[in-house]
């Protein structure tokens, strides 16, 4: 919820140049107040997501095949990373380098 509220704040402030816009979001499928798919629904509604390139990678330890397929086929999701998250998995999926 906090991340969605932050992105909404960026949209409501006319001069949001000083507020960093995330280029990458690591999103857990299962979260306490809003699951990852509900977050994606909210993200899709925001203008900022339509005008900025934001890569979303879902994280999960789920063995639920329906959730895995839903994550991998979601148009907003760039990839799925299985937990536990490691630096090597992050580099392999996202391509970050030191």
């Amino acid at each position: 919820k906090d991340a969605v509220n932050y992105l909404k704040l960026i949209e409501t402030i006319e001069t949001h140049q000083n507020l960093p816009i995330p280029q990458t979001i690591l999103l857990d499928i299962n979260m306490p107040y809003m699951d990852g798919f509900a977050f994606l629904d909210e993200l899709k509604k925001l203008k900022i997501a339509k005008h900025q390139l934001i890569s979303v990678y879902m994280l999960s330890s789920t063995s639920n095949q329906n959730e895995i397929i839903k994550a991998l086929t979601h148009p907003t999701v760039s990839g799925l990373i299985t937990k536990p998250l490691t630096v090597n998995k992050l580099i392999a999926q996202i391509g970050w380098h030191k």
Side-chain angles (χ1 to χ4, degrees), residues 2-92:
D2 291 339
V4 170
N5 290 334
Y6 175 78
L7 293 171
K8 286 179 181 178
L9 174 68
I10 292 172
E11 282 194 349
T12 59
I13 297 174
E14 288 182 29
T15 57
H16 63 270
Q17 293 85 2
N18 294 331
L19 294 174
I21 300 170
Q23 295 177 347
T24 303
I25 295 174
L26 299 177
L27 180 63
D28 202 325
I29 289 178
N30 296 305
M31 298 181 292
Y33 298 105
M34 174 185 291
D35 73 18
F37 297 109
F39 175 89
L40 292 172
D41 291 340
E42 291 297 315
L43 181 65
K44 189 168 50 173
K45 296 176 190 175
L46 300 174
K47 291 179 211 166
I48 196 161
K50 294 173 186 163
H51 299 294
Q52 298 287 326
L53 179 60
I54 301 174
S55 299
V56 178
Y57 293 89
M58 295 200 85
L59 300 170
S60 184
S61 58
T62 187
S63 58
N64 181 324
Q65 288 298 317
N66 290 332
E67 283 184 340
I68 293 169
I69 291 167
K70 188 174 179 180
L72 289 172
T73 59
H74 196 285
T76 308
V77 175
S78 299
L80 176 69
I81 303 171
T82 57
K83 289 182 181 177
L85 179 62
T86 65
V87 171
N88 289 337
K89 285 182 185 179
L90 204 56
I91 290 170

